[in-house]
């Protein structure tokens, strides 16, 4: 599997990803003895918090670098390389938890089928990822700079509306108990380089065909477009909107 992620940069500069997962963790509310999958576990911090509640948890991630770092961080825990669209597991789980992952999966029905197959009847989903309108200002600025410069500027994210995602879940045998789309502007770690580091970490697809030598000036132009909108009190923010979903597999 091709490695797209720099796990050190992720841990060093993007810890807000798992720190901001507290809300969906509360929604999961893991109980002692439950079997739980953490889909898109990254470097394992939320997986470890689930284990601290006494659950038996397995972390899954499609990035070899993330799985390797998670195993190094938490050597006693179980982490496996897995693709959200195709994974299968042995036995049945009580819950699938996923934070900040499913917007990377452009085949949402395949992921829903995999999650369903992993759950026992009555098992639950606690999911949070980018919803409709997520990072809309950042996307608009990137596209407004790259397209006139002659680049295709296409992203590879899936930010569905509540109605779209709830319908997919219902079609595949889930009862949707809660679905929310809410803004959660997120402070980026470095006061001056925060936006640039976020773009460098997460926006590879947009810049695929942009030669390394011209990226700097284009990034500066994107920053200047976004500064009046996303730079506040000495910090950059990403204009996240989260889709948070709680659903149960109909028996
Ligand atoms: C998100 O967590 O919403 C997100 C992260 C990286 C790229 C796009 C969206």
């Amino acid at each position: 599997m091709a490695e797209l992620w720099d796990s050190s940069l992720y841990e060093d500069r993007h810890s807000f990803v798992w720190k901001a997962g507290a809300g969906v963790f509360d929604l999961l509310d893991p109980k002692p003895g439950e079997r739980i999958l953490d889909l898109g576990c990254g470097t394992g911090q939320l997986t470890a918090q689930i284990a601290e509640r006494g659950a038996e948890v397995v972390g899954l991630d499609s990035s070899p670098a993330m799985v390797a770092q998670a195993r190094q961080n938490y050597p006693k825990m179980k982490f496996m390389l897995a693709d959200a669209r195709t994974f299968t597991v042995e036995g049945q789980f009580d819950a699938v938890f996923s934070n900040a992952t499913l917007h990377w999966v452009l085949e949402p029905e395949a992921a829903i089928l995999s999650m369903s197959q992993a759950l026992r009847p009555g098992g639950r989903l606690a999911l949070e990822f980018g919803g409709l309108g997520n990072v809309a200002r950042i996307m608009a600025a990137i596209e407004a700079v790259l397209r006139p410069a002659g680049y295709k500027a296409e992203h590879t994210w899936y930010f569905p509306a509540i109605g779209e995602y709830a319908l997919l879940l219902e079609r595949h045998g889930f009862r949707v108990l809660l679905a929310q789309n809410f803004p959660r502007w997120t402070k980026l770690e470095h006061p001056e380089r925060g936006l640039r580091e976020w773009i460098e970490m997460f926006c590879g697809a947009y810049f695929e065909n942009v030669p390394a030598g011209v990226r700097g000036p284009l990034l500066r132009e994107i920053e200047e477009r976004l500064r009046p909108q996303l730079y506040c009190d000495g910090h950059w923010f990403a204009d996240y909107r989260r889709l948070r979903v709680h659903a149960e597999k109909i028996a």
Side-chain angles (χ1 to χ4, degrees):
M1 211 174 295
E3 185 49 83
L4 299 173
W5 295 98
D6 178 337
S7 59
S8 313
L9 184 62
Y10 178 80
E11 282 205 313
D12 188 35
R13 289 272 187 230
H14 302 90
S15 63
F16 57 81
V17 176
W18 66 83
K19 288 179 184 154
V24 65
F25 179 87
D26 289 345
L27 186 65
L28 172 70
D29 191 18
K31 305 276 191 320
E34 283 191 321
R35 296 191 76 214
I36 296 179
L37 282 177
D38 179 4
L39 180 59
C41 62
T43 46
Q45 285 76 8
L46 287 169
T47 329
Q49 287 181 30
I50 295 170
E52 277 167 25
R53 290 281 192 92
E56 184 192 320
V57 60
V58 180
L60 306 177
D61 206 285
S62 65
S63 156
M66 292 292 187
V67 169
Q69 188 62 49
R71 287 179 178 149
Q72 196 176 316
N73 289 346
Y74 306 101
K76 294 195 175 136
M77 292 178 47
K78 190 164 176 189
F79 296 98
M80 287 165 42
L81 200 56
D83 184 321
R85 300 166 301 177
T86 54
F87 74 88
T88 54
V89 286
E90 273 179 31
Q92 290 196 308
F93 283 73
D94 297 295
V96 176
F97 171 82
S98 184
N99 177 55
T101 293
L102 290 169
H103 48 248
W104 294 104
V105 182
L106 299 183
E107 293 165 54
E109 289 192 85
I112 289 170
L113 287 170
S114 302
M115 294 191 288
S116 174
Q117 172 273 331
L119 286 174
R120 66 167 171 79
R124 65 196 189 279
L125 298 177
L127 313 175
E128 190 169 304
F129 58 106
L132 186 67
N134 195 38
V135 294
R137 293 174 196 223
I138 296 179
M139 286 166 63
I142 293 176
E143 289 164 19
V145 169
L146 293 192
R147 287 192 181 144
Y151 302 106
K152 229 168 32 180
E154 281 172 359
H155 69 82
T156 48
W157 300 316
Y158 172 64
F159 299 144
I162 287 180
E164 177 181 334
Y165 202 72
L167 189 61
L168 289 183
L169 289 171
E170 287 167 353
R171 279 206 189 126
H172 292 290
F174 284 94
R175 180 181 293 115
V176 178
L177 306 172
L178 171 138
Q180 295 171 311
N181 176 317
F182 59 93
R184 201 201 56 219
W185 280 41
T186 299
K187 191 179 190 176
L188 302 178
E189 301 226 359
H190 192 279
E192 193 46 47
R193 294 183 53 82
L195 180 68
R196 173 178 292 245
E197 287 177 350
W198 187 92
I199 292 173
E200 284 168 352
M201 179 86 202
F202 295 120
C203 299
Y206 269 128
F207 287 84
E208 212 171 47
N209 299 313
V210 181
V214 295
R215 286 185 188 181
L218 293 171
L219 279 168
R220 268 194 293 284
E221 205 178 323
I222 293 165
E223 280 176 332
E224 288 328 304
R225 269 180 186 264
L226 286 171
R227 193 175 290 278
Q229 303 174 57
L230 298 180
Y231 192 77
C232 183
D233 294 335
H235 268 280
W236 285 103
F237 289 78
D239 55 332
Y240 282 178
R241 287 198 77 90
R242 310 324 278 166
L243 179 60
R244 184 178 289 171
V245 176
H246 191 200
E248 64 186 8
K249 180 171 164 177
I250 296 170

